Amino acid sequence: MPGPTAKSRLARRLDAAQQAMISDLTKIRNIGISAHIDSGKTTLTERILFYTSRIHRIAEVRGKDGVGATMDHMELEKERGITITSAATHTEWNDHHVNIIDTPGHVDFTIEVERSLRVLDGAVLILCGVAGVQSQSMTVDRQMRRYKVPRIAFINKLDRSGANPKRVVEGLREKLKHNAVLMQLPIGLEADFEGVVDLVTMKALRFDGENGETVVEVDIPADMLSESEAAREEMLDAVSMFSDDLMEAVLEEKVTEDLVQDAIRNGVLSRELTPVYLGSAYKNKGVQPLLDAVTRYLPSPLDVENTGVDLSNDDAPITIESDSQKPLVALAFKLEDGRYGQLTYIRIYQGSMKRGDSIYNARTQRKHKVGRLVRMHSADMEEIEEAGAGDIVALFGIECASGDTFTDGTVELAMSAMHVPESVISLSIKPTDNKAQANMGKALGRFVREDPTFRTWVDEESGETVIAGMGELHLEVYVERMKREYQVEVETGAPQVAYRETISQRADFDYVHKKQTGGSGQYGKVAGYVEPLTDGSEFEFVDEIRGGAIPTEYVPSVEKGFRQMLDKGRVIGFPVTGMKVVVNDGQSHSVDSSDMAFQAAARGAFREVYGRAKPIILEPVMKLGVEGPTEFQGGILKSVMQRRGSVVGTTEEEGFCQIEAEVPFAEMFGYATDLRSLTQGKAEFTLEFAKYAPAPAEVTEELKKKYADRRVGDDEE
């Protein structure tokens, strides 16, 4: 992370006109660029920055011999040609201030998309003009729905062989259930793609100049006029549903551009309409009209309802107003650690923040002073004096965790946290020499703070350090970052699937913990039952004690004792999930009962009842999406079935097939190599966690045997 170098000292300062623009909340747009991997997110963002004069030359996404795109600032990103971390920047277009976050497409880095969409007001969903709606497109769309983010769609890569925007629109409607409406028609396709017809203005747009920077508005080609008029009628029919004035104007044939644009905006803000734009970012076509759509149709901070909780009123829901004059409420959504301390990305929802202000962390109750306030442009920083409601900025040198809320201390409010998926893979690591041990600890501490899906712990039995994450690539990147950023060489163990244990039936318990030593003893009796949870919850504790059989002050001790046993099940040593514990009776002793005694009684009750509740093993099942030439479809299906996979669906279009399946994660190691050889390197796949499901009997027996062998080995040592 850059420090106060000459480059950052020379960073431009916002002039009065720009600051006034940011102060007008109607002129702010906070948007994310999201899509399936390799759909052109970073390439599109590069063009946006160029056309808005934020950068003065275009760099491409390519390997280490190239410069690399602006938003891919990590060396690993430049080498691999992928986005690993979300990167923030800001620019201006049509007198609007636009904060942009470019997010990764690979499912292993899905937390970057989650935390970005949590703080954004709108999004651009990019789709490949050839492949259309892909597996990760569905994941990103689901995340947008979770955070109620309005979006517009951009069909990219129309210069590629096989591009078919109409088929992609049908995929949007059928697979994602969008009310997708074309706002443009392509002028030519594939190698003949020249520009677009704007169905609102009924003009053709061409993109001239060395980098497509000059937008030329001309008459629609004669051979496209009837097609364009039919498409416009279809568009007006769809968008008039969102404006009575437009519907009336259509009937009276008095349609104006303003009426159409107002109706489109109404549909987008209600999340009931997805306008679709066309282009080729790589060929510098169609980007400026997309920017126009961002400022016209996507919401400002004033158009979005943000809610938090009132900590002073039993966490009651409360609306956070986008008003810079109200008390400060800001959310820390992303952390980065560098040579000059922790950089904390924040979204200001309410109030304002100035350099030198004191702010309070709602979780820790700690007071911090705002020393440096900056705007981010990928890895570069621009110093600012003040930021207000609706803005996305960054703070230096403030220790906090991802998801913390900051206030000015006059209110006790907190924003709701983002969704954090469970990790599905782990592996053991150890430094190759003792000198690297301390640096490894620093690296792991930093990575855990930065990434909520990256976890680490020390295994009690082996004493080994274990790291866990969302996939093989996820952990591979962090191991490589340890080497590069902390000079730590580590040896890695075999990847380990994150299994879970659960119970399959109800069982009663009635347990007495009694221990007599010199002086006072320990006594606690707990009785009740356990049963499986069917709603997907991890654990539920229910107090049904009547008549003070267990004193009220000891009930939390009983819950704590049961929770302590969830970390390690008794079948294969993995965490226990999906268990409900109901305590309805017990007994205490006036002298010998204590907090520790009832914790011990609960642990004993768990050990006693767990076996009778018929524990089973759950294995993570992944959603697998494979895309490749149809000629390899049979071989791909066979490879899925060989891995205990079940095919959910297949589609086949123009020599290209998409296969969706559910496959146990344990069977997916090495699949990339197998698929590459099977399809001559012409197919690709994505893997995303879907659910936990009971493991088959043969898998269960094998895991039990390995666990027993490991315990015997530990005992012999």
Side-chain angles (χ1 to χ4, degrees):
M1 185 55 56
T5 59
K7 184 174 183 179
S8 64
R9 284 197 301 269
L10 291 172
R12 69 189 182 103
R13 303 235 174 208
L14 296 177
D15 60 30
Q18 291 167 325
Q19 192 61 55
M21 181 196 307
I22 298 169
S23 300
D24 181 357
L25 296 186
T26 64
K27 298 287 188 181
I28 292 180
R29 297 291 181 271
N30 294 315
I31 67 165
I33 311 284
S34 300
H36 182 90
I37 190 170
D38 199 30
S39 294
K41 297 177 299 299
T42 303
T43 302
L44 174 65
T45 307
E46 191 79 4
R47 268 58 181 184
I48 289 174
L49 295 177
F50 178 75
Y51 295 135
T52 59
S53 301
R54 197 67 181 80
I55 58 175
H56 302 291
R57 74 177 180 83
I58 294 173
E60 303 298 347
V61 179
R62 56 186 185 182
K64 59 185 174 184
D65 294 331
V67 176
T70 304
M71 302 302 278
D72 284 348
H73 57 84
M74 288 174 59
E75 287 300 319
L76 271 172
E77 292 178 314
K78 293 174 184 176
E79 288 177 21
R80 293 173 181 260
I82 62 172
T83 301
I84 293 172
T85 63
S86 54
T89 187
H90 64 99
T91 190
E92 284 85 37
W93 183 258
N94 285 349
D95 294 327
H96 285 71
H97 178 79
V98 185
N99 290 313
I100 303 172
I101 298 183
D102 174 29
T103 62
H106 200 288
V107 289
D108 281 19
F109 309 109
T110 189
I111 189 62
E112 295 290 333
V113 185
E114 288 281 351
R115 63 167 137 218
S116 299
L117 292 176
R118 171 66 185 81
V119 300
L120 293 171
D121 300 324
V124 178
L125 174 63
I126 305 181
L127 300 153
C128 174
V130 181
V133 176
Q134 297 166 277
S135 54
Q136 188 67 1
S137 310
M138 299 179 191
T139 301
V140 168
D141 182 69
R142 193 164 60 247
Q143 291 169 318
M144 290 179 183
R145 291 178 192 275
R146 179 182 295 137
Y147 298 109
K148 300 179 180 178
V149 177
R151 81 294 305 259
I152 56 180
F154 180 68
I155 301 178
N156 194 23
K157 301 189 177 184
L158 292 188
D159 61 301
R160 296 264 299 269
S161 177
N164 186 339
K166 290 185 179 177
R167 189 181 72 229
V168 179
V169 171
E170 284 305 309
L172 266 172
R173 292 170 181 163
E174 293 174 11
K175 294 183 179 180
L176 300 184
K177 309 303 179 189
H178 280 225
N179 180 17
V181 179
L182 276 169
M183 295 291 132
Q184 300 169 333
L185 288 181
I187 302 174
L189 279 175
E190 302 178 342
D192 299 324
F193 180 55
E194 298 177 10
V196 296
V197 172
D198 187 322
L199 299 178
V200 175
T201 63
M202 287 301 280
K203 291 288 184 181
L205 303 177
R206 299 182 186 273
F207 305 89
D208 293 344
E210 184 180 350
N211 294 301
E213 62 270 25
T214 304
V215 182
V216 181
E217 190 178 273
V218 296
D219 290 334
I220 298 171
D223 60 345
M224 289 190 67
L225 199 54
S226 61
E227 180 189 2
S228 299
E229 287 173 348
R232 175 179 166 87
E233 288 299 316
E234 186 179 331
M235 181 270 291
L236 288 175
D237 187 48
V239 303
S240 63
M241 302 299 293
F242 303 98
S243 168
D244 293 339
D245 291 341
L246 178 59
M247 190 174 289
E248 190 176 314
V250 169
L251 295 174
E252 296 177 0
E253 297 185 356
K254 295 180 180 179
V255 175
T256 65
E257 287 181 27
D258 287 344
L259 281 174
V260 177
Q261 289 169 357
D262 288 346
I264 295 171
R265 190 163 202 269
N266 291 339
V268 171
L269 294 185
S270 67
R271 304 194 308 281
E272 295 176 4
L273 176 71
T274 304
V276 181
Y277 292 82
L278 310 175
S280 167
Y282 184 67
K283 294 294 185 179
N284 309 312
K285 290 179 171 62
V287 178
Q288 296 95 322
L290 177 67
L291 275 168
D292 290 339
V294 165
T295 56
R296 280 186 190 132
Y297 306 133
L298 288 180
S300 76
L302 293 173
D303 298 313
V304 179
E305 182 178 296
N306 296 300
T307 58
V309 294
D310 187 345
L311 301 176
S312 63
N313 186 24
D314 294 327
D315 292 353
I318 188 170
T319 299
I320 308 293
E321 297 182 36
S322 296
D323 185 344
S324 295
Q325 305 305 314
K326 297 240 177 201
L328 173 70
V329 180
L331 178 71
F333 67 94
K334 177 178 167 62
L335 312 178
E336 287 180 9
D337 214 350
R339 289 179 297 163
Y340 299 94
Q342 180 171 294
L343 183 70
T344 304
Y345 290 75
I346 63 167
R347 161 73 191 262
I348 302 176
Y349 284 95
Q350 181 177 283
S352 62
M353 183 182 296
K354 296 179 182 177
R355 200 162 68 167
D357 281 354
S358 291
I359 58 176
Y360 294 81
N361 187 321
R363 178 179 61 86
T364 65
Q365 298 297 306
R366 288 184 59 192
K367 177 181 175 182
H368 303 272
K369 186 174 182 180
V370 179
R372 292 180 68 189
L373 193 59
V374 298
R375 289 191 197 285
M376 298 306 298
H377 175 49
S378 187
D380 296 331
M381 296 172 294
E382 298 168 355
E383 302 275 355
I384 58 174
E385 295 294 324
E386 182 179 3
D391 213 349
I392 294 175
V393 292
L395 304 171
F396 247 121
I398 291 181
E399 287 295 321
C400 66
S402 185
D404 282 355
T405 299
F406 289 101
T407 71
D408 60 4
T410 64
V411 291
E412 295 184 49
L413 304 177
M415 303 299 295
S416 56
M418 69 197 83
H419 171 73
V420 180
E422 284 289 320
S423 53
V424 295
I425 182 175
S426 64
L427 54 83
S428 61
I429 59 170
K430 65 177 180 179
T432 53
D433 57 66
N434 291 332
K435 290 182 181 177
Q437 184 74 44
N439 279 350
M440 186 180 83
K442 290 178 184 176
L444 294 178
R446 168 188 169 185
F447 297 156
V448 167
R449 284 199 308 275
E450 287 183 4
D451 183 350
T453 61
F454 179 79
R455 299 172 176 92
T456 182
W457 66 88
V458 176
D459 185 86
E460 292 180 6
E461 293 180 356
S462 65
E464 294 178 324
T465 299
V466 180
I467 58 175
M470 301 305 297
E472 291 181 271
L473 178 61
H474 191 207
L475 298 186
E476 183 185 319
V477 163
Y478 277 117
V479 168
E480 184 65 23
R481 285 184 65 187
M482 270 189 266
K483 177 181 176 181
R484 296 183 182 211
E485 298 171 28
Y486 289 88
Q487 290 72 54
V488 176
E489 294 278 357
V490 297
E491 295 175 357
T492 59
Q496 174 67 62
V497 177
Y499 293 101
R500 293 288 184 268
E501 296 183 24
T502 192
I503 56 174
S504 60
Q505 68 179 39
R506 172 175 164 152
D508 296 325
F509 60 84
D510 189 341
Y511 185 83
V512 178
H513 172 71
K514 190 174 183 179
K515 189 175 182 182
Q516 196 66 45
T517 55
S520 61
Q522 291 185 18
Y523 183 86
K525 177 183 176 181
V526 292
Y529 61 90
V530 298
E531 63 181 6
L533 285 168
T534 57
D535 61 357
S537 303
E538 293 185 7
F539 178 73
E540 183 181 347
F541 180 82
V542 179
D543 173 12
E544 291 187 356
I545 297 164
R546 299 290 179 267
I550 298 177
T552 306
E553 65 267 27
Y554 295 137
V555 173
S557 307
V558 177
E559 180 178 355
K560 185 176 180 181
F562 275 107
R563 284 187 180 276
Q564 288 168 349
M565 302 300 289
L566 299 178
D567 291 340
K568 192 170 184 179
R570 301 177 66 76
V571 180
I572 58 170
F574 278 83
V576 178
T577 188
M579 175 186 274
K580 179 179 180 180
V581 176
V582 178
V583 178
N584 53 29
D585 200 3
Q587 194 174 356
S588 65
H589 187 277
S590 58
V591 176
D592 292 345
S593 288
S594 64
D595 168 49
M596 296 302 293
F598 273 101
Q599 283 189 47
R603 292 194 296 267
F606 179 94
R607 285 188 285 265
E608 176 192 82
V609 77
Y610 192 61
R612 295 202 303 273
K614 293 289 189 286
I616 58 174
I617 295 170
L618 301 175
E619 62 179 354
V621 175
M622 311 299 284
K623 185 172 72 175
L624 171 68
V626 187
E627 299 166 359
T630 306
E631 62 187 288
F632 301 111
Q633 184 172 357
I636 295 170
L637 287 169
K638 185 178 178 182
S639 75
V640 171
M641 304 300 284
Q642 287 173 338
R643 286 170 165 76
R644 294 196 284 125
S646 59
V647 176
V648 176
T650 61
T651 56
E652 187 180 334
E653 290 177 357
E654 299 182 10
F656 195 77
C657 71
Q658 293 184 351
I659 296 168
E660 295 173 27
E662 291 186 346
V663 190
F665 187 46
E667 305 292 335
M668 291 306 295
F669 295 118
Y671 187 63
T673 303
D674 291 350
L675 185 66
R676 199 176 300 121
S677 61
L678 179 70
T679 63
Q680 300 169 17
K682 296 177 181 178
E684 62 178 32
F685 76 98
T686 60
L687 206 60
E688 178 189 5
F689 175 74
K691 62 185 178 183
Y692 272 99
E698 62 271 19
V699 173
T700 297
E701 290 306 314
E702 184 181 344
L703 290 170
K704 284 182 178 179
K705 185 176 182 301
K706 286 182 179 178
Y707 182 58
D709 291 345
R710 191 165 73 244
R711 296 190 72 179
V712 169
D714 292 340
D715 291 342
E716 289 175 352
E717 290 179 10

